[in-house]
PDB file of all heavy atoms in Angstrom:
ATOM      1  N   ARG A  59     166.621 162.013  24.150  1.00 90.00           N
ATOM      2  CA  ARG A  59     166.532 162.456  25.545  1.00 90.00           C
ATOM      3  C   ARG A  59     166.645 161.296  26.537  1.00 90.00           C
ATOM      4  O   ARG A  59     166.690 161.516  27.753  1.00 90.00           O
ATOM      5  CB  ARG A  59     165.183 163.153  25.775  1.00 90.00           C
ATOM      6  CG  ARG A  59     164.967 164.412  24.971  1.00 90.00           C
ATOM      7  CD  ARG A  59     163.507 164.882  25.054  1.00 90.00           C
ATOM      8  NE  ARG A  59     163.053 165.051  26.411  1.00 90.00           N
ATOM      9  CZ  ARG A  59     163.182 166.186  27.105  1.00 90.00           C
ATOM     10  NH1 ARG A  59     163.771 167.237  26.557  1.00 90.00           N
ATOM     11  NH2 ARG A  59     162.744 166.266  28.348  1.00 90.00           N
ATOM     12  N   ALA A  60     166.672 160.066  26.026  1.00 86.00           N
ATOM     13  CA  ALA A  60     166.572 158.889  26.887  1.00 86.00           C
ATOM     14  C   ALA A  60     167.700 158.821  27.914  1.00 86.00           C
ATOM     15  O   ALA A  60     167.472 158.477  29.084  1.00 86.00           O
ATOM     16  CB  ALA A  60     166.550 157.619  26.047  1.00 86.00           C
ATOM     17  N   GLU A  61     168.918 159.163  27.489  1.00 86.00           N
ATOM     18  CA  GLU A  61     170.050 159.098  28.416  1.00 86.00           C
ATOM     19  C   GLU A  61     169.881 160.093  29.560  1.00 86.00           C
ATOM     20  O   GLU A  61     170.178 159.787  30.725  1.00 86.00           O
ATOM     21  CB  GLU A  61     171.355 159.370  27.672  1.00 86.00           C
ATOM     22  CG  GLU A  61     172.606 159.263  28.541  1.00 86.00           C
ATOM     23  CD  GLU A  61     172.764 157.880  29.181  1.00 86.00           C
ATOM     24  OE1 GLU A  61     172.401 156.882  28.536  1.00 86.00           O
ATOM     25  OE2 GLU A  61     173.245 157.828  30.331  1.00 86.00           O
ATOM     26  N   ALA A  62     169.373 161.284  29.244  1.00 86.00           N
ATOM     27  CA  ALA A  62     169.154 162.290  30.285  1.00 86.00           C
ATOM     28  C   ALA A  62     168.104 161.818  31.288  1.00 86.00           C
ATOM     29  O   ALA A  62     168.224 162.071  32.494  1.00 86.00           O
ATOM     30  CB  ALA A  62     168.725 163.614  29.653  1.00 86.00           C
ATOM     31  N   PHE A  63     167.069 161.106  30.794  1.00 89.00           N
ATOM     32  CA  PHE A  63     166.050 160.613  31.730  1.00 89.00           C
ATOM     33  C   PHE A  63     166.650 159.607  32.702  1.00 89.00           C
ATOM     34  O   PHE A  63     166.268 159.567  33.877  1.00 89.00           O
ATOM     35  CB  PHE A  63     164.881 159.980  30.973  1.00 89.00           C
ATOM     36  CG  PHE A  63     163.786 159.492  31.889  1.00 89.00           C
ATOM     37  CD1 PHE A  63     162.908 160.385  32.464  1.00 89.00           C
ATOM     38  CD2 PHE A  63     163.665 158.142  32.198  1.00 89.00           C
ATOM     39  CE1 PHE A  63     161.906 159.952  33.334  1.00 89.00           C
ATOM     40  CE2 PHE A  63     162.674 157.696  33.062  1.00 89.00           C
ATOM     41  CZ  PHE A  63     161.794 158.604  33.633  1.00 89.00           C
ATOM     42  N   ARG A  64     167.581 158.811  32.232  1.00 86.00           N
ATOM     43  CA  ARG A  64     168.199 157.822  33.122  1.00 86.00           C
ATOM     44  C   ARG A  64     168.966 158.486  34.263  1.00 86.00           C
ATOM     45  O   ARG A  64     169.257 157.836  35.278  1.00 86.00           O
ATOM     46  CB  ARG A  64     169.127 156.903  32.322  1.00 86.00           C
ATOM     47  CG  ARG A  64     168.378 155.859  31.497  1.00 86.00           C
ATOM     48  CD  ARG A  64     169.291 154.799  30.936  1.00 86.00           C
ATOM     49  NE  ARG A  64     169.978 155.243  29.737  1.00 86.00           N
ATOM     50  CZ  ARG A  64     169.510 155.116  28.502  1.00 86.00           C
ATOM     51  NH1 ARG A  64     168.331 154.532  28.310  1.00 86.00           N
ATOM     52  NH2 ARG A  64     170.196 155.542  27.459  1.00 86.00           N
ATOM     53  N   LYS A  65     169.268 159.766  34.116  1.00 86.00           N
ATOM     54  CA  LYS A  65     169.953 160.517  35.179  1.00 86.00           C
ATOM     55  C   LYS A  65     169.004 161.484  35.892  1.00 86.00           C
ATOM     56  O   LYS A  65     169.437 162.300  36.701  1.00 86.00           O
ATOM     57  CB  LYS A  65     171.119 161.302  34.580  1.00 86.00           C
ATOM     58  CG  LYS A  65     172.157 160.436  33.889  1.00 86.00           C
ATOM     59  CD  LYS A  65     173.218 161.286  33.210  1.00 86.00           C
ATOM     60  CE  LYS A  65     174.230 160.423  32.455  1.00 86.00           C
ATOM     61  NZ  LYS A  65     175.229 161.237  31.726  1.00 86.00           N
ATOM     62  N   SER A  66     167.702 161.380  35.588  1.00 87.00           N
ATOM     63  CA  SER A  66     166.725 162.348  36.092  1.00 87.00           C
ATOM     64  C   SER A  66     166.346 162.073  37.537  1.00 87.00           C
ATOM     65  O   SER A  66     166.650 161.017  38.104  1.00 87.00           O
ATOM     66  CB  SER A  66     165.471 162.332  35.223  1.00 87.00           C
ATOM     67  OG  SER A  66     164.781 161.098  35.388  1.00 87.00           O
ATOM     68  N   ASN A  67     165.610 163.009  38.116  1.00 86.00           N
ATOM     69  CA  ASN A  67     165.195 162.903  39.512  1.00 86.00           C
ATOM     70  C   ASN A  67     164.316 161.678  39.780  1.00 86.00           C
ATOM     71  O   ASN A  67     164.545 160.970  40.771  1.00 86.00           O
ATOM     72  CB  ASN A  67     164.464 164.185  39.933  1.00 86.00           C
ATOM     73  CG  ASN A  67     164.325 164.303  41.433  1.00 86.00           C
ATOM     74  OD1 ASN A  67     165.293 164.127  42.167  1.00 86.00           O
ATOM     75  ND2 ASN A  67     163.120 164.593  41.901  1.00 86.00           N
ATOM     76  N   PRO A  68     163.316 161.355  38.943  1.00 88.00           N
ATOM     77  CA  PRO A  68     162.517 160.160  39.230  1.00 88.00           C
ATOM     78  C   PRO A  68     163.348 158.879  39.280  1.00 88.00           C
ATOM     79  O   PRO A  68     163.150 158.039  40.172  1.00 88.00           O
ATOM     80  CB  PRO A  68     161.517 160.116  38.061  1.00 88.00           C
ATOM     81  CG  PRO A  68     161.405 161.526  37.610  1.00 88.00           C
ATOM     82  CD  PRO A  68     162.765 162.113  37.802  1.00 88.00           C
ATOM     83  N   VAL A  69     164.291 158.732  38.344  1.00 89.00           N
ATOM     84  CA  VAL A  69     165.126 157.527  38.320  1.00 89.00           C
ATOM     85  C   VAL A  69     166.054 157.509  39.530  1.00 89.00           C
ATOM     86  O   VAL A  69     166.224 156.476  40.187  1.00 89.00           O
ATOM     87  CB  VAL A  69     165.938 157.461  37.010  1.00 89.00           C
ATOM     88  CG1 VAL A  69     166.905 156.272  37.042  1.00 89.00           C
ATOM     89  CG2 VAL A  69     165.010 157.362  35.809  1.00 89.00           C
ATOM     90  N   ARG A  70     166.622 158.655  39.843  1.00 90.00           N
ATOM     91  CA  ARG A  70     167.530 158.733  40.995  1.00 90.00           C
ATOM     92  C   ARG A  70     166.802 158.378  42.296  1.00 90.00           C
ATOM     93  O   ARG A  70     167.316 157.607  43.122  1.00 90.00           O
ATOM     94  CB  ARG A  70     168.109 160.146  41.085  1.00 90.00           C
ATOM     95  CG  ARG A  70     169.126 160.339  42.197  1.00 90.00           C
ATOM     96  CD  ARG A  70     169.659 161.765  42.209  1.00 90.00           C
ATOM     97  NE  ARG A  70     168.589 162.735  42.383  1.00 90.00           N
ATOM     98  CZ  ARG A  70     168.049 163.042  43.571  1.00 90.00           C
ATOM     99  NH1 ARG A  70     168.483 162.431  44.670  1.00 90.00           N
ATOM    100  NH2 ARG A  70     167.094 163.938  43.663  1.00 90.00           N
ATOM    101  N   LEU A  71     165.588 158.917  42.467  1.00 89.00           N
ATOM    102  CA  LEU A  71     164.830 158.648  43.685  1.00 89.00           C
ATOM    103  C   LEU A  71     164.400 157.182  43.769  1.00 89.00           C
ATOM    104  O   LEU A  71     164.413 156.578  44.846  1.00 89.00           O
ATOM    105  CB  LEU A  71     163.598 159.559  43.741  1.00 89.00           C
ATOM    106  CG  LEU A  71     163.882 161.031  44.007  1.00 89.00           C
ATOM    107  CD1 LEU A  71     162.603 161.851  43.872  1.00 89.00           C
ATOM    108  CD2 LEU A  71     164.494 161.239  45.391  1.00 89.00           C
ATOM    109  N   LEU A  72     164.014 156.609  42.630  1.00 89.00           N
ATOM    110  CA  LEU A  72     163.615 155.202  42.636  1.00 89.00           C
ATOM    111  C   LEU A  72     164.803 154.309  42.971  1.00 89.00           C
ATOM    112  O   LEU A  72     164.687 153.372  43.774  1.00 89.00           O
ATOM    113  CB  LEU A  72     163.020 154.807  41.285  1.00 89.00           C
ATOM    114  CG  LEU A  72     162.565 153.351  41.170  1.00 89.00           C
ATOM    115  CD1 LEU A  72     161.494 153.026  42.208  1.00 89.00           C
ATOM    116  CD2 LEU A  72     162.045 153.049  39.767  1.00 89.00           C
ATOM    117  N   ASN A  73     165.949 154.577  42.372  1.00 86.00           N
ATOM    118  CA  ASN A  73     167.150 153.786  42.661  1.00 86.00           C
ATOM    119  C   ASN A  73     167.526 153.876  44.143  1.00 86.00           C
ATOM    120  O   ASN A  73     167.907 152.873  44.767  1.00 86.00           O
ATOM    121  CB  ASN A  73     168.318 154.257  41.802  1.00 86.00           C
ATOM    122  CG  ASN A  73     168.144 153.871  40.341  1.00 86.00           C
ATOM    123  OD1 ASN A  73     167.384 152.968  40.014  1.00 86.00           O
ATOM    124  ND2 ASN A  73     168.839 154.561  39.461  1.00 86.00           N
ATOM    125  N   LYS A  74     167.369 155.068  44.695  1.00 87.00           N
ATOM    126  CA  LYS A  74     167.675 155.262  46.112  1.00 87.00           C
ATOM    127  C   LYS A  74     166.728 154.447  46.984  1.00 87.00           C
ATOM    128  O   LYS A  74     167.137 153.817  47.969  1.00 87.00           O
ATOM    129  CB  LYS A  74     167.566 156.748  46.458  1.00 87.00           C
ATOM    130  CG  LYS A  74     167.910 157.094  47.905  1.00 87.00           C
ATOM    131  CD  LYS A  74     167.804 158.604  48.139  1.00 87.00           C
ATOM    132  CE  LYS A  74     168.111 158.949  49.593  1.00 87.00           C
ATOM    133  NZ  LYS A  74     167.985 160.421  49.836  1.00 87.00           N
ATOM    134  N   LEU A  75     165.449 154.421  46.591  1.00 85.00           N
ATOM    135  CA  LEU A  75     164.456 153.673  47.353  1.00 85.00           C
ATOM    136  C   LEU A  75     164.720 152.169  47.268  1.00 85.00           C
ATOM    137  O   LEU A  75     164.588 151.444  48.268  1.00 85.00           O
ATOM    138  CB  LEU A  75     163.058 153.993  46.812  1.00 85.00           C
ATOM    139  CG  LEU A  75     161.869 153.665  47.712  1.00 85.00           C
ATOM    140  CD1 LEU A  75     161.930 154.478  48.997  1.00 85.00           C
ATOM    141  CD2 LEU A  75     160.562 153.953  46.983  1.00 85.00           C
ATOM    142  N   VAL A  76     165.095 151.687  46.085  1.00 81.00           N
ATOM    143  CA  VAL A  76     165.401 150.264  45.916  1.00 81.00           C
ATOM    144  C   VAL A  76     166.617 149.879  46.756  1.00 81.00           C
ATOM    145  O   VAL A  76     166.638 148.816  47.394  1.00 81.00           O
ATOM    146  CB  VAL A  76     165.633 149.949  44.421  1.00 81.00           C
ATOM    147  CG1 VAL A  76     166.171 148.529  44.261  1.00 81.00           C
ATOM    148  CG2 VAL A  76     164.335 150.114  43.642  1.00 81.00           C
ATOM    149  N   ASP A  77     167.623 150.746  46.788  1.00 80.00           N
ATOM    150  CA  ASP A  77     168.807 150.486  47.624  1.00 80.00           C
ATOM    151  C   ASP A  77     168.415 150.429  49.104  1.00 80.00           C
ATOM    152  O   ASP A  77     168.887 149.567  49.853  1.00 80.00           O
ATOM    153  CB  ASP A  77     169.855 151.578  47.414  1.00 80.00           C
ATOM    154  CG  ASP A  77     170.503 151.498  46.038  1.00 80.00           C
ATOM    155  OD1 ASP A  77     170.390 150.444  45.388  1.00 80.00           O
ATOM    156  OD2 ASP A  77     171.111 152.505  45.602  1.00 80.00           O
ATOM    157  N   GLN A  78     167.545 151.360  49.497  1.00 78.00           N
ATOM    158  CA  GLN A  78     167.084 151.405  50.886  1.00 78.00           C
ATOM    159  C   GLN A  78     166.309 150.139  51.233  1.00 78.00           C
ATOM    160  O   GLN A  78     166.468 149.579  52.322  1.00 78.00           O
ATOM    161  CB  GLN A  78     166.199 152.636  51.084  1.00 78.00           C
ATOM    162  CG  GLN A  78     165.607 152.775  52.479  1.00 78.00           C
ATOM    163  CD  GLN A  78     164.643 153.946  52.557  1.00 78.00           C
ATOM    164  OE1 GLN A  78     164.702 154.887  51.770  1.00 78.00           O
ATOM    165  NE2 GLN A  78     163.722 153.876  53.495  1.00 78.00           N
ATOM    166  N   GLU A  79     165.511 149.659  50.298  1.00 70.00           N
ATOM    167  CA  GLU A  79     164.741 148.438  50.494  1.00 70.00           C
ATOM    168  C   GLU A  79     165.678 147.258  50.732  1.00 70.00           C
ATOM    169  O   GLU A  79     165.441 146.415  51.599  1.00 70.00           O
ATOM    170  CB  GLU A  79     163.868 148.194  49.265  1.00 70.00           C
ATOM    171  CG  GLU A  79     162.963 146.975  49.370  1.00 70.00           C
ATOM    172  CD  GLU A  79     162.177 146.769  48.080  1.00 70.00           C
ATOM    173  OE1 GLU A  79     162.790 146.841  46.999  1.00 70.00           O
ATOM    174  OE2 GLU A  79     160.968 146.522  48.171  1.00 70.00           O
ATOM    175  N   GLY A  80     166.767 147.201  49.935  1.00 65.00           N
ATOM    176  CA  GLY A  80     167.721 146.112  50.093  1.00 65.00           C
ATOM    177  C   GLY A  80     168.447 146.163  51.422  1.00 65.00           C
ATOM    178  O   GLY A  80     168.689 145.124  52.047  1.00 65.00           O
ATOM    179  N   GLU A  81     168.770 147.378  51.871  1.00 63.00           N
ATOM    180  CA  GLU A  81     169.500 147.530  53.136  1.00 63.00           C
ATOM    181  C   GLU A  81     168.627 147.185  54.332  1.00 63.00           C
ATOM    182  O   GLU A  81     169.092 146.585  55.310  1.00 63.00           O
ATOM    183  CB  GLU A  81     170.007 148.971  53.255  1.00 63.00           C
ATOM    184  CG  GLU A  81     171.103 149.315  52.252  1.00 63.00           C
ATOM    185  CD  GLU A  81     171.415 150.799  52.246  1.00 63.00           C
ATOM    186  OE1 GLU A  81     170.808 151.518  53.062  1.00 63.00           O
ATOM    187  OE2 GLU A  81     172.261 151.222  51.437  1.00 63.00           O
ATOM    188  N   GLU A  82     167.327 147.582  54.250  1.00 62.00           N
ATOM    189  CA  GLU A  82     166.445 147.396  55.393  1.00 62.00           C
ATOM    190  C   GLU A  82     165.739 146.032  55.372  1.00 62.00           C
ATOM    191  O   GLU A  82     165.075 145.663  56.327  1.00 62.00           O
ATOM    192  CB  GLU A  82     165.400 148.521  55.432  1.00 62.00           C
ATOM    193  CG  GLU A  82     166.025 149.895  55.629  1.00 62.00           C
ATOM    194  CD  GLU A  82     164.980 151.000  55.666  1.00 62.00           C
ATOM    195  OE1 GLU A  82     163.780 150.684  55.571  1.00 62.00           O
ATOM    196  OE2 GLU A  82     165.380 152.171  55.813  1.00 62.00           O
ATOM    197  N   MET A  83     165.882 145.318  54.258  1.00 55.00           N
ATOM    198  CA  MET A  83     165.278 143.989  54.125  1.00 55.00           C
ATOM    199  C   MET A  83     163.785 144.021  54.460  1.00 55.00           C
ATOM    200  O   MET A  83     163.252 143.161  55.147  1.00 55.00           O
ATOM    201  CB  MET A  83     165.999 142.981  55.044  1.00 55.00           C
ATOM    202  CG  MET A  83     167.483 142.836  54.751  1.00 55.00           C
ATOM    203  SD  MET A  83     167.782 142.147  53.105  1.00 55.00           S
ATOM    204  CE  MET A  83     167.206 140.487  53.366  1.00 55.00           C
ATOM    205  N   GLY A  84     163.114 145.027  53.959  1.00 60.00           N
ATOM    206  CA  GLY A  84     161.685 145.133  54.253  1.00 60.00           C
ATOM    207  C   GLY A  84     160.998 146.081  53.305  1.00 60.00           C
ATOM    208  O   GLY A  84     161.587 146.549  52.318  1.00 60.00           O
ATOM    209  N   ASN A  85     159.734 146.366  53.595  1.00 68.00           N
ATOM    210  CA  ASN A  85     158.944 147.227  52.731  1.00 68.00           C
ATOM    211  C   ASN A  85     159.366 148.692  52.863  1.00 68.00           C
ATOM    212  O   ASN A  85     159.765 149.137  53.943  1.00 68.00           O
ATOM    213  CB  ASN A  85     157.458 147.105  53.082  1.00 68.00           C
ATOM    214  CG  ASN A  85     156.915 145.720  52.774  1.00 68.00           C
ATOM    215  OD1 ASN A  85     157.381 145.068  51.850  1.00 68.00           O
ATOM    216  ND2 ASN A  85     155.936 145.273  53.558  1.00 68.00           N
ATOM    217  N   VAL A  86     159.243 149.424  51.770  1.00 67.00           N
ATOM    218  CA  VAL A  86     159.489 150.862  51.787  1.00 67.00           C
ATOM    219  C   VAL A  86     158.256 151.551  51.214  1.00 67.00           C
ATOM    220  O   VAL A  86     157.436 150.940  50.529  1.00 67.00           O
ATOM    221  CB  VAL A  86     160.740 151.239  50.955  1.00 67.00           C
ATOM    222  CG1 VAL A  86     161.999 150.680  51.588  1.00 67.00           C
ATOM    223  CG2 VAL A  86     160.605 150.752  49.516  1.00 67.00           C
ATOM    224  N   GLU A  87     158.105 152.825  51.515  1.00 75.00           N
ATOM    225  CA  GLU A  87     156.949 153.568  51.023  1.00 75.00           C
ATOM    226  C   GLU A  87     157.094 153.882  49.543  1.00 75.00           C
ATOM    227  O   GLU A  87     158.200 154.059  49.032  1.00 75.00           O
ATOM    228  CB  GLU A  87     156.792 154.866  51.821  1.00 75.00           C
ATOM    229  CG  GLU A  87     156.428 154.644  53.286  1.00 75.00           C
ATOM    230  CD  GLU A  87     156.188 155.951  54.011  1.00 75.00           C
ATOM    231  OE1 GLU A  87     156.233 157.010  53.345  1.00 75.00           O
ATOM    232  OE2 GLU A  87     155.958 155.914  55.221  1.00 75.00           O
TER     233      GLU A  87
END
Side-chain angles (χ1 to χ4, degrees):
R59 297 169 55 89
E61 183 59 35
F63 182 77
R64 284 191 279 271
K65 301 175 183 177
S66 68
N67 195 49
V69 175
R70 183 180 59 81
L71 289 173
L72 180 60
N73 289 340
K74 182 179 178 181
L75 198 63
V76 171
D77 290 343
Q78 178 185 337
E79 183 183 46
E81 291 171 3
E82 297 180 2
M83 301 296 290
N85 294 329
V86 294
E87 294 184 4

